[in-house]
């Protein structure tokens, strides 16, 4: 019997956790570090390797297919509004939960002091990284979108917005010139698009082994569990918020717009969610998110190729809700009473900070430094949440990716570009096996 891909990935994850845990207890950490982890790194690298070429070719073909400039601005505007809407809901939900549950009151004064001391060096590192974002004018994010050299942007996975910008420009150029002139160019990019989607299929064949290695490596790096227990209330508040987003919010939006079963939707994007969990990076997951959403959910690639890369870079609901809860938690542990004004400020800054967070592991924590600073909470408080950040990062990345996929479906539906995946003419072989 052939197992579906998501089962294979899940089995790889569980075996990886058991293997890493056992090796950790037997004192064989070095074996996992030296002989297992590299395979996880190779897997993540191969996904990242394909992300930038995928964005370029799929955006160019997607926009060229739209054939109409006004359609691009309409889809673009709608996408931004939806992304902002879901993020604002996420931050507000985070604030409500943190105020209701008050996770900070569960941490004793000694535990708080111990955490602040243990992680103070790691914090200065994050503060330094955040400073690079802070020391710029208000319009800098806008300036950063326009590259002064496209090829330099192509060589940096952190410059996704720049790559998106230039690819959109090429797409628009294609629409504006005579069809007979654009035909060879479009043909080339369409062919490349197919090739890249095929490469993603190939990479995904190794996914179960990749996630095995990633999770085994994670298990030997996990910090002392006595520190973790004090943070349980905080971690559970974040998990609750993330769960509400997935179980109630996105599934309702999905159902409301499509009248289709959210359960089936989640099952179809599950491999992307599992990869988000294993890699903690929406950018590394992007190729798989696109493949699942186009080939298995039925979103037309004209929409997916634009909405998903943009979402991976700017739409981070999981990060936003985490930043809101973490800021309030830190304030509670440090006995700082936040006024309503300060809390509203957190809504604003966490929304912006999540947009500015890179789609890589721990980026949300770096940007949290800015949220704390704006709300008048000492940045050293970051040390309080350091120990549990990795597992929460894995979970918030799942939400980030789920949100992108949901918005892609909504936009496709409202544009009449959502197909029925059951009758979509995908590669039969692939559909049967996955
Ligand atoms: N790891 C997250 C992502 O890639 C960002 C974060 O740290 O919150 O989506």
């Amino acid at each position: 019997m052939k197992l579906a891909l998501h089962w294979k990935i899940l089995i790889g994850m569980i075996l990886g956790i058991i293997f890493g845990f056992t090796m950790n207890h037997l004192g064989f950490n070095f074996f996992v570090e030296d002989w297992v982890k590299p395979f996880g790194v190779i897997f993540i690298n191969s996904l990242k390797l394909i992300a930038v070429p995928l964005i370029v070719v799929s955006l160019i073909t997607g926009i060229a297919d739209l054939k109409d400039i006004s359609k691009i601005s309409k889809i673009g505007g709608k996408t931004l509004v939806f992304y902002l809407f879901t993020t604002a809901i996420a931050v507000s939900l985070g604030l409500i939960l943190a105020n209701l549950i008050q996770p900070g009151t569960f941490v004793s004064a000694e535990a708080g002091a111990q955490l602040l001391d243990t992680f103070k060096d790691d914090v200065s590192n994050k503060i330094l990284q955040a400073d690079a974002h802070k020391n710029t004018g208000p319009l800098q994010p806008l300036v950063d979108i326009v590259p002064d050299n496209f090829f330099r942007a192509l060589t940096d996975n952190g410059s996704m917005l720049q790559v998106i910008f230039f690819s959109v420009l090429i797409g628009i150029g294609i629409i504006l010139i005579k069809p007979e002139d654009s035909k060879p160019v479009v043909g080339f990019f369409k062919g490349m698009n197919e090739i890249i989607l095929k490469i993603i299929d190939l990479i995904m064949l190794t996914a179960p082994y990749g996630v095995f290695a990633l999770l085994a490596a994670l298990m030997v790096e996990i910090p002392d569990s006595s520190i973790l227990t004090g943070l349980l209330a905080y971690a559970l508040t974040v998990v609750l918020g993330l769960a509400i987003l997935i179980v109630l919010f996105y599934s309702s939006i999905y159902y409301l717009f499509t009248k289709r079963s959210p359960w089936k939707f989640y099952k179809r994007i599950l491999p992307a969610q599992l990869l988000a969990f294993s890699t903690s990076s929406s950018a590394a997951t992007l190729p798989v998110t696109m493949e699942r959403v186009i080939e298995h959910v039925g979103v037309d690639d004209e929409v997916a190729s634009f909405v998903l890369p943009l979402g991976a870079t700017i739409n981070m609901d999981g990060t936003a809700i985490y930043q809101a809860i973490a800021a309030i938690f830190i304030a509670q542990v440090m006995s700082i009473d936040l006024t309503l004004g300060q809390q509203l400020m957190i809504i604003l800054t966490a929304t912006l900070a999540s947009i500015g967070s890179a789609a890589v592991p721990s980026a949300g924590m770096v940007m949290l430094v800015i949220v704390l600073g704006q709300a008048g909470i000492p940045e050293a408080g970051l040390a309080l949440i350091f120990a549990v950040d990795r597992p929460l990062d894995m979970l918030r990345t799942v939400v980030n990716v789920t949100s992108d996929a949901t918005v892609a479906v909504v936009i496709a539906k409202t544009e009449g570009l959502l197909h029925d995946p059951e009758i979509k003419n995908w590669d039969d072989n692939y559909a049967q096996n996955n």
Side-chain angles (χ1 to χ4, degrees), residues 279-283 312 315-316 318-320 322-323 357-366 389 393-394 396-398 400-401:
T279 61
S280 287
S281 166
S282 327
N315 181 48
M316 302 209 180
T319 303
Y322 143 83
Q323 285 171 338
S357 300
V360 296
S362 288
M365 192 180 213
V366 173
D389 200 63
D393 191 5
M394 298 160 87
R396 65 186 187 245
T397 309
V398 174
N400 292 344
V401 166

mmCIF file of all heavy atoms in Angstrom, residues 279-283 312 315-316 318-320 322-323 357-366 389 393-394 396-398 400-401, ligand 1:
data_model
loop_
_atom_site.group_PDB
_atom_site.id
_atom_site.type_symbol
_atom_site.label_atom_id
_atom_site.label_comp_id
_atom_site.label_asym_id
_atom_site.label_seq_id
_atom_site.Cartn_x
_atom_site.Cartn_y
_atom_site.Cartn_z
ATOM 1 N N THR A 279 10.767 23.073 9.702
ATOM 2 C CA THR A 279 11.851 23.979 9.284
ATOM 3 C C THR A 279 11.804 25.329 9.995
ATOM 4 O O THR A 279 12.774 26.072 9.963
ATOM 5 C CB THR A 279 11.774 24.276 7.772
ATOM 6 O OG1 THR A 279 10.514 24.906 7.495
ATOM 7 C CG2 THR A 279 11.887 23.023 6.933
ATOM 8 N N SER A 280 10.658 25.672 10.618
ATOM 9 C CA SER A 280 10.478 27.005 11.234
ATOM 10 C C SER A 280 10.712 28.118 10.237
ATOM 11 O O SER A 280 11.159 29.192 10.627
ATOM 12 C CB SER A 280 11.439 27.240 12.392
ATOM 13 O OG SER A 280 11.076 26.522 13.489
ATOM 14 N N SER A 281 10.460 27.879 8.981
ATOM 15 C CA SER A 281 10.701 28.945 8.014
ATOM 16 C C SER A 281 9.639 28.948 6.924
ATOM 17 O O SER A 281 9.514 27.985 6.166
ATOM 18 C CB SER A 281 12.093 28.765 7.388
ATOM 19 O OG SER A 281 12.219 29.579 6.244
ATOM 20 N N SER A 282 8.857 30.045 6.856
ATOM 21 C CA SER A 282 7.847 30.126 5.795
ATOM 22 C C SER A 282 8.516 30.211 4.434
ATOM 23 O O SER A 282 7.958 29.755 3.442
ATOM 24 C CB SER A 282 6.946 31.349 5.919
ATOM 25 O OG SER A 282 6.698 31.729 7.203
ATOM 26 N N ALA A 283 9.724 30.819 4.392
ATOM 27 C CA ALA A 283 10.395 30.953 3.101
ATOM 28 C C ALA A 283 10.820 29.588 2.581
ATOM 29 O O ALA A 283 10.626 29.275 1.402
ATOM 30 C CB ALA A 283 11.607 31.863 3.230
ATOM 31 N N ALA A 312 4.294 34.898 2.211
ATOM 32 C CA ALA A 312 5.411 34.311 2.958
ATOM 33 C C ALA A 312 6.303 35.415 3.515
ATOM 34 O O ALA A 312 6.899 35.277 4.575
ATOM 35 C CB ALA A 312 6.222 33.392 2.046
ATOM 36 N N ASN A 315 2.940 38.330 5.448
ATOM 37 C CA ASN A 315 1.756 37.954 6.237
ATOM 38 C C ASN A 315 2.127 36.913 7.278
ATOM 39 O O ASN A 315 2.320 35.748 6.954
ATOM 40 C CB ASN A 315 0.680 37.395 5.296
ATOM 41 C CG ASN A 315 -0.579 37.014 6.056
ATOM 42 O OD1 ASN A 315 -1.081 37.786 6.876
ATOM 43 N ND2 ASN A 315 -1.089 35.826 5.814
ATOM 44 N N MET A 316 2.243 37.347 8.518
ATOM 45 C CA MET A 316 2.669 36.425 9.571
ATOM 46 C C MET A 316 1.760 36.552 10.782
ATOM 47 O O MET A 316 2.103 37.186 11.774
ATOM 48 C CB MET A 316 4.106 36.725 9.969
ATOM 49 C CG MET A 316 5.043 36.621 8.817
ATOM 50 S SD MET A 316 6.665 36.150 9.344
ATOM 51 C CE MET A 316 7.502 36.130 7.799
ATOM 52 N N GLY A 318 0.816 34.160 12.826
ATOM 53 C CA GLY A 318 1.330 33.407 13.968
ATOM 54 C C GLY A 318 2.377 34.223 14.713
ATOM 55 O O GLY A 318 2.393 34.277 15.947
ATOM 56 N N THR A 319 3.222 34.896 13.955
ATOM 57 C CA THR A 319 4.255 35.732 14.552
ATOM 58 C C THR A 319 3.615 36.910 15.284
ATOM 59 O O THR A 319 4.017 37.271 16.396
ATOM 60 C CB THR A 319 5.206 36.247 13.444
ATOM 61 O OG1 THR A 319 5.730 35.113 12.762
ATOM 62 C CG2 THR A 319 6.324 37.089 13.999
ATOM 63 N N ALA A 320 2.588 37.485 14.694
ATOM 64 C CA ALA A 320 1.937 38.657 15.289
ATOM 65 C C ALA A 320 1.270 38.307 16.620
ATOM 66 O O ALA A 320 1.420 39.032 17.610
ATOM 67 C CB ALA A 320 0.912 39.226 14.309
ATOM 68 N N TYR A 322 1.958 35.854 18.552
ATOM 69 C CA TYR A 322 3.025 35.507 19.492
ATOM 70 C C TYR A 322 3.659 36.780 20.061
ATOM 71 O O TYR A 322 3.909 36.899 21.261
ATOM 72 C CB TYR A 322 4.048 34.628 18.767
ATOM 73 C CG TYR A 322 5.488 34.866 19.154
ATOM 74 C CD1 TYR A 322 6.023 34.263 20.292
ATOM 75 C CD2 TYR A 322 6.312 35.676 18.386
ATOM 76 C CE1 TYR A 322 7.348 34.489 20.644
ATOM 77 C CE2 TYR A 322 7.628 35.902 18.730
ATOM 78 C CZ TYR A 322 8.143 35.321 19.863
ATOM 79 O OH TYR A 322 9.443 35.544 20.216
ATOM 80 N N GLN A 323 3.904 37.758 19.192
ATOM 81 C CA GLN A 323 4.544 38.988 19.672
ATOM 82 C C GLN A 323 3.651 39.711 20.676
ATOM 83 O O GLN A 323 4.124 40.233 21.680
ATOM 84 C CB GLN A 323 4.872 39.904 18.491
ATOM 85 C CG GLN A 323 6.085 39.401 17.716
ATOM 86 C CD GLN A 323 6.330 40.139 16.417
ATOM 87 O OE1 GLN A 323 5.418 40.741 15.864
ATOM 88 N NE2 GLN A 323 7.545 40.074 15.908
ATOM 89 N N SER A 357 9.102 40.972 9.806
ATOM 90 C CA SER A 357 9.897 39.804 10.184
ATOM 91 C C SER A 357 10.254 38.994 8.949
ATOM 92 O O SER A 357 9.398 38.764 8.090
ATOM 93 C CB SER A 357 9.114 38.888 11.136
ATOM 94 O OG SER A 357 8.762 39.570 12.308
ATOM 95 N N ALA A 358 11.507 38.567 8.881
ATOM 96 C CA ALA A 358 11.905 37.707 7.757
ATOM 97 C C ALA A 358 11.283 36.329 7.967
ATOM 98 O O ALA A 358 10.949 35.957 9.090
ATOM 99 C CB ALA A 358 13.417 37.602 7.721
ATOM 100 N N ALA A 359 11.134 35.590 6.852
ATOM 101 C CA ALA A 359 10.461 34.294 6.957
ATOM 102 C C ALA A 359 11.456 33.191 7.292
ATOM 103 O O ALA A 359 11.554 32.180 6.624
ATOM 104 C CB ALA A 359 9.745 33.998 5.643
ATOM 105 N N VAL A 360 12.242 33.424 8.334
ATOM 106 C CA VAL A 360 13.267 32.453 8.735
ATOM 107 C C VAL A 360 13.148 32.189 10.236
ATOM 108 O O VAL A 360 12.490 32.951 10.942
ATOM 109 C CB VAL A 360 14.684 32.988 8.421
ATOM 110 C CG1 VAL A 360 14.863 33.164 6.929
ATOM 111 C CG2 VAL A 360 14.954 34.308 9.129
ATOM 112 N N PRO A 361 13.781 31.105 10.724
ATOM 113 C CA PRO A 361 13.643 30.790 12.147
ATOM 114 C C PRO A 361 14.032 31.963 13.047
ATOM 115 O O PRO A 361 14.981 32.687 12.765
ATOM 116 C CB PRO A 361 14.606 29.615 12.343
ATOM 117 C CG PRO A 361 14.720 28.988 11.011
ATOM 118 C CD PRO A 361 14.566 30.083 10.012
ATOM 119 N N SER A 362 13.240 32.152 14.114
ATOM 120 C CA SER A 362 13.501 33.162 15.163
ATOM 121 C C SER A 362 13.378 34.614 14.745
ATOM 122 O O SER A 362 13.653 35.500 15.543
ATOM 123 C CB SER A 362 14.903 33.100 15.688
ATOM 124 O OG SER A 362 15.317 32.271 16.362
ATOM 125 N N ALA A 363 13.001 34.886 13.503
ATOM 126 C CA ALA A 363 12.918 36.279 13.067
ATOM 127 C C ALA A 363 11.891 37.049 13.895
ATOM 128 O O ALA A 363 12.078 38.230 14.204
ATOM 129 C CB ALA A 363 12.544 36.340 11.594
ATOM 130 N N GLY A 364 10.815 36.374 14.271
ATOM 131 C CA GLY A 364 9.765 37.020 15.059
ATOM 132 C C GLY A 364 10.296 37.520 16.388
ATOM 133 O O GLY A 364 9.863 38.551 16.909
ATOM 134 N N MET A 365 11.259 36.800 16.938
ATOM 135 C CA MET A 365 11.806 37.185 18.235
ATOM 136 C C MET A 365 12.679 38.447 18.099
ATOM 137 O O MET A 365 12.678 39.309 18.979
ATOM 138 C CB MET A 365 12.633 36.039 18.784
ATOM 139 C CG MET A 365 12.982 36.222 20.207
ATOM 140 S SD MET A 365 13.944 34.846 20.763
ATOM 141 C CE MET A 365 13.400 34.740 22.430
ATOM 142 N N VAL A 366 13.402 38.536 17.001
ATOM 143 C CA VAL A 366 14.225 39.731 16.780
ATOM 144 C C VAL A 366 13.317 40.960 16.706
ATOM 145 O O VAL A 366 13.567 41.990 17.346
ATOM 146 C CB VAL A 366 15.040 39.582 15.473
ATOM 147 C CG1 VAL A 366 15.760 40.868 15.144
ATOM 148 C CG2 VAL A 366 16.013 38.430 15.581
ATOM 149 N N ASP A 389 11.308 29.434 22.929
ATOM 150 C CA ASP A 389 11.016 30.082 21.640
ATOM 151 C C ASP A 389 11.007 29.121 20.465
ATOM 152 O O ASP A 389 10.189 29.254 19.557
ATOM 153 C CB ASP A 389 11.972 31.233 21.350
ATOM 154 C CG ASP A 389 11.358 32.162 20.317
ATOM 155 O OD1 ASP A 389 10.305 32.743 20.636
ATOM 156 O OD2 ASP A 389 11.850 32.249 19.189
ATOM 157 N N ASP A 393 8.177 28.854 17.766
ATOM 158 C CA ASP A 393 8.507 29.302 16.413
ATOM 159 C C ASP A 393 7.988 28.282 15.395
ATOM 160 O O ASP A 393 7.414 28.622 14.353
ATOM 161 C CB ASP A 393 10.034 29.457 16.305
ATOM 162 C CG ASP A 393 10.471 30.157 15.035
ATOM 163 O OD1 ASP A 393 9.595 30.602 14.280
ATOM 164 O OD2 ASP A 393 11.681 30.243 14.796
ATOM 165 N N MET A 394 8.168 27.002 15.726
ATOM 166 C CA MET A 394 7.714 25.943 14.815
ATOM 167 C C MET A 394 6.200 26.042 14.620
ATOM 168 O O MET A 394 5.687 25.963 13.502
ATOM 169 C CB MET A 394 8.085 24.572 15.392
ATOM 170 C CG MET A 394 9.593 24.387 15.544
ATOM 171 S SD MET A 394 10.035 23.103 16.705
ATOM 172 C CE MET A 394 10.024 21.676 15.651
ATOM 173 N N ARG A 396 4.199 28.741 15.272
ATOM 174 C CA ARG A 396 3.700 29.976 14.649
ATOM 175 C C ARG A 396 3.975 29.974 13.147
ATOM 176 O O ARG A 396 3.228 30.568 12.372
ATOM 177 C CB ARG A 396 4.232 31.219 15.344
ATOM 178 C CG ARG A 396 5.717 31.454 15.276
ATOM 179 C CD ARG A 396 6.128 32.644 16.144
ATOM 180 N NE ARG A 396 7.527 32.972 15.946
ATOM 181 C CZ ARG A 396 8.474 32.872 16.864
ATOM 182 N NH1 ARG A 396 8.174 32.472 18.080
ATOM 183 N NH2 ARG A 396 9.716 33.208 16.597
ATOM 184 N N THR A 397 5.039 29.271 12.740
ATOM 185 C CA THR A 397 5.306 29.187 11.300
ATOM 186 C C THR A 397 4.186 28.400 10.593
ATOM 187 O O THR A 397 3.796 28.734 9.475
ATOM 188 C CB THR A 397 6.686 28.548 11.036
ATOM 189 O OG1 THR A 397 7.662 29.232 11.835
ATOM 190 C CG2 THR A 397 7.088 28.665 9.593
ATOM 191 N N VAL A 398 3.657 27.371 11.280
ATOM 192 C CA VAL A 398 2.522 26.620 10.700
ATOM 193 C C VAL A 398 1.353 27.581 10.456
ATOM 194 O O VAL A 398 0.717 27.568 9.394
ATOM 195 C CB VAL A 398 2.064 25.493 11.661
ATOM 196 C CG1 VAL A 398 0.811 24.815 11.132
ATOM 197 C CG2 VAL A 398 3.180 24.480 11.869
ATOM 198 N N ASN A 400 1.509 30.865 10.122
ATOM 199 C CA ASN A 400 1.864 31.817 9.051
ATOM 200 C C ASN A 400 1.562 31.227 7.674
ATOM 201 O O ASN A 400 0.987 31.889 6.801
ATOM 202 C CB ASN A 400 3.359 32.166 9.125
ATOM 203 C CG ASN A 400 3.699 32.984 10.362
ATOM 204 O OD1 ASN A 400 2.807 33.529 11.001
ATOM 205 N ND2 ASN A 400 4.968 33.078 10.702
ATOM 206 N N VAL A 401 1.946 29.979 7.501
ATOM 207 C CA VAL A 401 1.761 29.331 6.196
ATOM 208 C C VAL A 401 0.269 29.058 5.937
ATOM 209 O O VAL A 401 -0.237 29.258 4.828
ATOM 210 C CB VAL A 401 2.589 28.018 6.163
ATOM 211 C CG1 VAL A 401 2.178 27.148 5.006
ATOM 212 C CG2 VAL A 401 4.067 28.340 6.088
HETATM 213 N N1 LIG B 1 9.798 31.501 11.691
HETATM 214 C C1 LIG B 1 8.711 32.339 11.296
HETATM 215 C C2 LIG B 1 8.432 32.155 9.821
HETATM 216 O O1 LIG B 1 9.320 31.837 9.065
HETATM 217 C C3 LIG B 1 8.948 33.779 11.610
HETATM 218 C C4 LIG B 1 9.025 33.963 13.097
HETATM 219 O O2 LIG B 1 10.092 33.830 13.684
HETATM 220 O O3 LIG B 1 7.980 34.205 13.719
HETATM 221 O O4 LIG B 1 7.309 32.308 9.400
#
